[in-house]
Protein backbone atom coordinates (compact mmCIF):
# COMPACT_ATOMS: atom_id res chain seq x y z
CA UNK A 1 0.00 0.00 0.00
CA UNK A 2 2.01 2.92 -1.30
CA UNK A 3 -0.36 5.46 0.21
CA UNK A 4 1.11 4.51 3.55
CA UNK A 5 4.54 5.82 2.59
CA UNK A 6 3.58 9.27 3.83
CA UNK A 7 3.42 7.83 7.33
CA UNK A 8 7.17 7.66 7.78
CA UNK A 9 6.86 6.67 11.43
CA UNK A 10 5.71 3.15 10.53
CA UNK A 11 8.35 0.46 10.70
CA UNK A 12 6.87 -2.69 9.27
CA UNK A 13 9.89 -4.86 9.89
CA UNK A 14 9.51 -4.38 13.64
CA UNK A 15 5.76 -5.08 13.47
CA UNK A 16 4.73 -3.03 16.51
CA UNK A 17 1.34 -4.02 17.87
CA UNK A 18 -0.98 -1.30 16.62
CA UNK A 19 -2.78 0.70 19.27
CA UNK A 20 -6.49 -0.05 19.34
CA UNK A 21 -8.52 2.69 17.66
CA UNK A 22 -11.78 0.77 17.31
CA UNK A 23 -12.19 -2.49 19.19
CA UNK A 24 -13.58 -5.75 17.87
CA UNK A 25 -16.67 -5.25 20.01
CA UNK A 26 -17.39 -1.78 18.61
CA UNK A 27 -16.87 -3.01 15.07
CA UNK A 28 -19.17 -5.99 15.62
CA UNK A 29 -21.93 -3.81 17.08
CA UNK A 30 -21.64 -1.23 14.30
CA UNK A 31 -21.65 -3.84 11.54
CA UNK A 32 -24.81 -5.33 13.04
CA UNK A 33 -26.45 -1.88 13.01
CA UNK A 34 -25.44 -1.27 9.41
CA UNK A 35 -26.73 -4.70 8.39
CA UNK A 36 -30.07 -4.04 10.06
CA UNK A 37 -30.44 -0.67 8.30
CA UNK A 38 -29.50 -2.12 4.94
CA UNK A 39 -31.89 -5.06 5.43
CA UNK A 40 -34.72 -2.66 6.22
CA UNK A 41 -33.93 -0.38 3.27
CA UNK A 42 -33.80 -3.27 0.81
CA UNK A 43 -36.69 -5.28 2.24
CA UNK A 44 -38.46 -7.22 -0.48
CA UNK A 45 -35.54 -6.76 -2.90
CA UNK A 46 -32.25 -8.50 -3.53
CA UNK A 47 -28.77 -7.06 -3.57
CA UNK A 48 -25.42 -7.36 -5.25
CA UNK A 49 -22.83 -6.80 -2.53
CA UNK A 50 -19.78 -5.48 -4.31
CA UNK A 51 -16.66 -6.02 -2.23
CA UNK A 52 -13.82 -3.69 -3.26
CA UNK A 53 -10.57 -5.62 -2.91
CA UNK A 54 -8.47 -6.00 -1.07
CA UNK A 55 -9.21 -3.90 1.99
CA UNK A 56 -12.93 -4.61 2.22
CA UNK A 57 -12.84 -8.39 2.35
CA UNK A 58 -13.21 -8.74 6.12
CA UNK A 59 -15.82 -6.02 6.44
CA UNK A 60 -17.82 -7.38 3.50
CA UNK A 61 -17.78 -10.89 4.95
CA UNK A 62 -19.16 -9.69 8.28
CA UNK A 63 -21.60 -7.26 6.69
CA UNK A 64 -22.99 -9.96 4.37
CA UNK A 65 -23.83 -12.08 7.40
CA UNK A 66 -25.64 -9.16 9.04
CA UNK A 67 -27.94 -8.61 6.06
CA UNK A 68 -31.04 -10.73 5.79
CA UNK A 69 -32.26 -9.94 2.28
CA UNK A 70 -31.17 -12.26 -0.55
CA UNK A 71 -27.83 -11.22 -2.00
CA UNK A 72 -25.00 -12.30 -4.21
CA UNK A 73 -21.41 -11.21 -3.80
CA UNK A 74 -19.13 -9.75 -6.45
CA UNK A 75 -15.51 -8.69 -6.11
CA UNK A 76 -13.83 -5.76 -7.78
CA UNK A 77 -10.06 -5.42 -7.58
CA UNK A 78 -8.82 -1.84 -7.68
CA UNK A 79 -5.48 -0.16 -7.42
CA UNK A 80 -5.93 3.41 -6.28
CA UNK A 81 -2.35 4.59 -6.35
CA UNK A 82 0.40 4.40 -8.95
CA UNK A 83 3.96 5.29 -8.11
CA UNK A 84 2.88 8.43 -6.28
CA UNK A 85 1.99 8.32 -2.60
CA UNK A 86 -1.12 10.40 -3.18
CA UNK A 87 -4.32 9.26 -4.78
CA UNK A 88 -4.31 10.50 -8.35
CA UNK A 89 -7.96 9.71 -8.93
CA UNK A 90 -6.88 7.34 -11.67
CA UNK A 91 -8.02 3.97 -10.49
CA UNK A 92 -6.93 0.81 -12.19
CA UNK A 93 -9.39 -2.07 -12.17
CA UNK A 94 -7.24 -5.13 -11.54
CA UNK A 95 -10.06 -7.64 -11.26
CA UNK A 96 -13.46 -7.16 -12.83
CA UNK A 97 -16.90 -8.44 -11.90
CA UNK A 98 -17.77 -11.96 -13.00
CA UNK A 99 -21.34 -11.16 -14.08
CA UNK A 100 -23.28 -8.18 -15.43
CA UNK A 101 -25.08 -5.99 -12.91
CA UNK A 102 -27.54 -4.34 -15.28
CA UNK A 103 -30.89 -3.78 -13.60
CA UNK A 104 -29.62 -4.84 -10.17
CA UNK A 105 -29.33 -3.02 -6.86
CA UNK A 106 -25.61 -2.58 -6.18
CA UNK A 107 -24.15 -1.98 -2.76
CA UNK A 108 -20.48 -1.02 -2.99
CA UNK A 109 -18.61 -2.07 0.14
CA UNK A 110 -15.51 0.04 0.77
CA UNK A 111 -13.02 -0.22 3.61
CA UNK A 112 -12.17 3.46 3.86
CA UNK A 113 -12.92 6.70 2.06
CA UNK A 114 -9.85 8.89 2.31
CA UNK A 115 -9.68 11.54 -0.46
CA UNK A 116 -12.85 10.15 -2.03
CA UNK A 117 -11.20 9.93 -5.46
CA UNK A 118 -11.35 6.14 -5.66
CA UNK A 119 -14.98 5.94 -4.67
CA UNK A 120 -16.03 8.71 -7.04
CA UNK A 121 -14.30 6.97 -9.91
CA UNK A 122 -15.80 3.61 -9.00
CA UNK A 123 -19.36 4.87 -8.73
CA UNK A 124 -19.01 6.61 -12.11
CA UNK A 125 -17.65 3.43 -13.70
CA UNK A 126 -20.30 1.21 -12.16
CA UNK A 127 -23.08 3.54 -13.26
CA UNK A 128 -22.11 2.92 -16.89
CA UNK A 129 -23.08 -0.74 -16.37
CA UNK A 130 -26.71 0.33 -15.90
CA UNK A 131 -27.48 -1.07 -12.46
CA UNK A 132 -30.91 -0.25 -11.08
CA UNK A 133 -29.28 1.60 -8.18
CA UNK A 134 -25.84 2.15 -6.67
CA UNK A 135 -25.33 2.80 -2.99
CA UNK A 136 -22.17 2.84 -0.91
CA UNK A 137 -21.39 1.31 2.46
CA UNK A 138 -18.02 2.38 3.87
CA UNK A 139 -16.55 1.19 7.13
CA UNK A 140 -14.41 4.30 7.66
CA UNK A 141 -14.26 7.88 6.48
CA UNK A 142 -11.59 10.53 7.06
CA UNK A 143 -13.46 13.82 6.55
CA UNK A 144 -10.28 15.86 6.99
CA UNK A 145 -8.75 14.33 3.85
CA UNK A 146 -11.68 14.52 1.48
CA UNK A 147 -10.97 16.06 -1.93
CA UNK A 148 -13.87 14.71 -3.92
CA UNK A 149 -17.13 14.68 -1.95
CA UNK A 150 -18.47 11.18 -2.40
CA UNK A 151 -21.90 10.05 -1.26
CA UNK A 152 -21.69 7.43 1.49
CA UNK A 153 -25.10 5.95 2.20
CA UNK A 154 -24.03 3.76 5.11
CA UNK A 155 -21.01 4.68 7.21
CA UNK A 156 -19.39 2.79 10.06
CA UNK A 157 -17.12 5.36 11.65
CA UNK A 158 -15.67 8.80 10.97
CA UNK A 159 -12.05 8.98 12.06
CA UNK A 160 -9.31 11.56 12.27
CA UNK A 161 -6.45 11.73 9.79
CA UNK A 162 -4.50 8.73 11.01
CA UNK A 163 -3.33 5.70 9.11
CA UNK A 164 -5.34 2.71 10.22
CA UNK A 165 -4.64 -0.99 9.85
CA UNK A 166 -6.44 -4.19 10.69
CA UNK A 167 -9.85 -5.67 9.95
CA UNK A 168 -8.81 -6.00 6.31
CA UNK A 169 -6.79 -2.78 6.01
CA UNK A 170 -3.08 -3.05 5.45
CA UNK A 171 0.21 -1.31 5.73
CA UNK A 172 2.48 -2.79 3.03
CA UNK A 173 0.12 -5.79 2.85
CA UNK A 174 0.48 -6.50 6.58
CA UNK A 175 -1.94 -6.32 9.47
CA UNK A 176 -5.04 -7.25 7.45
CA UNK A 177 -5.67 -10.12 9.88
CA UNK A 178 -5.87 -7.96 13.01
CA UNK A 179 -9.38 -8.37 14.43
CA UNK A 180 -9.56 -4.69 15.44
CA UNK A 181 -8.79 -1.34 13.79
CA UNK A 182 -5.48 -0.02 14.99
CA UNK A 183 -3.07 2.85 14.54
CA UNK A 184 0.67 2.44 14.24
CA UNK A 185 1.63 5.86 15.61
CA UNK A 186 1.64 7.30 19.08
CA UNK A 187 -0.28 10.42 18.18
CA UNK A 188 -3.55 11.20 19.97
CA UNK A 189 -6.46 10.10 17.82
CA UNK A 190 -10.15 9.50 18.11
CA UNK A 191 -13.06 7.86 16.41
CA UNK A 192 -16.78 8.40 16.74
CA UNK A 193 -19.76 6.54 15.44
CA UNK A 194 -20.95 8.03 12.16
P1 LIG B 1 -9.00 7.47 -1.67
O1 LIG B 1 -9.09 7.45 -3.17
O2 LIG B 1 -7.96 8.46 -1.22
O3 LIG B 1 -10.32 7.68 -0.97
O4 LIG B 1 -8.38 6.08 -1.30
C1 LIG B 1 -9.04 5.07 -0.67
C2 LIG B 1 -8.13 3.88 -0.54
O5 LIG B 1 -6.86 4.24 0.04
C3 LIG B 1 -8.74 2.88 0.42
O6 LIG B 1 -9.61 1.99 -0.23
C4 LIG B 1 -7.51 2.20 1.01
O7 LIG B 1 -7.10 1.13 0.18
C5 LIG B 1 -6.43 3.28 1.00
N1 LIG B 1 -6.31 3.94 2.33
C6 LIG B 1 -6.59 5.22 2.62
N2 LIG B 1 -6.39 5.47 3.92
C7 LIG B 1 -5.98 4.31 4.47
C8 LIG B 1 -5.62 3.92 5.82
O8 LIG B 1 -5.64 4.71 6.79
N3 LIG B 1 -5.25 2.63 6.00
C9 LIG B 1 -5.20 1.72 4.96
N4 LIG B 1 -5.54 2.04 3.70
C10 LIG B 1 -5.91 3.33 3.46
Amino acid sequence: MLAAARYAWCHVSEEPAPRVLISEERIRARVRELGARISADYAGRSLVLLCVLKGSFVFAADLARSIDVPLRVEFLGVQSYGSDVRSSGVVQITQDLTAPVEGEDLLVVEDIVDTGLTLTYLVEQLSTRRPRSVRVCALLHKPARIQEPARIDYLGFSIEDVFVVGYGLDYAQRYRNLPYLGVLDAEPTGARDA
Side-chain angles (χ1 to χ4, degrees):
M1 175 58 59
L2 291 170
R6 68 194 174 89
Y7 295 86
W9 33 262
C10 297
H11 301 288
V12 169
S13 56
E14 294 169 17
E15 293 236 330
R19 179 171 51 80
V20 177
L21 181 69
I22 304 177
S23 69
E24 276 185 81
E25 292 71 26
R26 279 185 73 195
I27 297 171
R28 200 176 306 124
R30 192 70 181 134
V31 171
R32 251 192 248 119
E33 286 172 8
L34 291 173
R37 275 182 49 205
I38 292 165
S39 301
D41 289 354
Y42 288 90
R45 286 149 71 182
S46 62
L47 264 184
V48 178
L49 206 66
L50 202 163
C51 172
V52 182
L53 296 173
K54 298 180 184 171
S56 303
F57 79 106
V58 177
F59 177 43
D62 284 346
L63 186 66
R65 287 175 287 180
S66 305
I67 296 174
D68 62 14
V69 300
L71 59 81
R72 70 181 174 91
V73 181
E74 284 285 337
F75 297 93
L76 190 67
V78 301
Q79 181 106 40
S80 317
Y81 301 100
S83 55
D84 198 350
V85 295
R86 289 172 197 283
S87 180
S88 60
V90 178
V91 179
Q92 191 190 351
I93 293 185
T94 55
Q95 181 183 317
D96 209 344
L97 310 181
T98 56
V101 292
E102 184 167 352
E104 301 202 73
D105 290 312
L106 267 190
L107 183 63
V108 180
V109 180
E110 261 286 24
D111 54 353
I112 184 163
V113 180
D114 187 15
T115 62
L117 293 169
T118 304
L119 182 57
T120 301
Y121 174 87
L122 273 186
V123 169
E124 273 172 24
Q125 281 297 309
L126 291 167
S127 299
T128 66
R129 302 179 189 207
R130 301 164 168 268
R132 181 167 116 152
S133 67
V134 184
R135 285 189 185 170
V136 173
C137 179
L139 177 64
L140 299 169
H141 176 37
K142 293 182 195 172
R145 300 249 319 145
I146 204 77
Q147 284 181 30
E148 186 76 52
R151 202 191 73 233
I152 302 173
D153 301 281
Y154 307 97
L155 176 61
F157 304 94
S158 286
I159 61 169
E160 293 176 7
D161 183 12
V162 288
F163 196 83
V164 289
V165 294
Y167 199 67
L169 287 94
D170 75 310
Y171 171 70
Q173 299 301 325
R174 311 246 182 148
Y175 300 109
R176 292 194 196 274
N177 55 332
L178 276 184
Y180 61 92
L181 285 155
V183 180
L184 293 168
D185 71 350
E187 294 171 16
T189 57
R192 60 182 192 278
D193 289 352

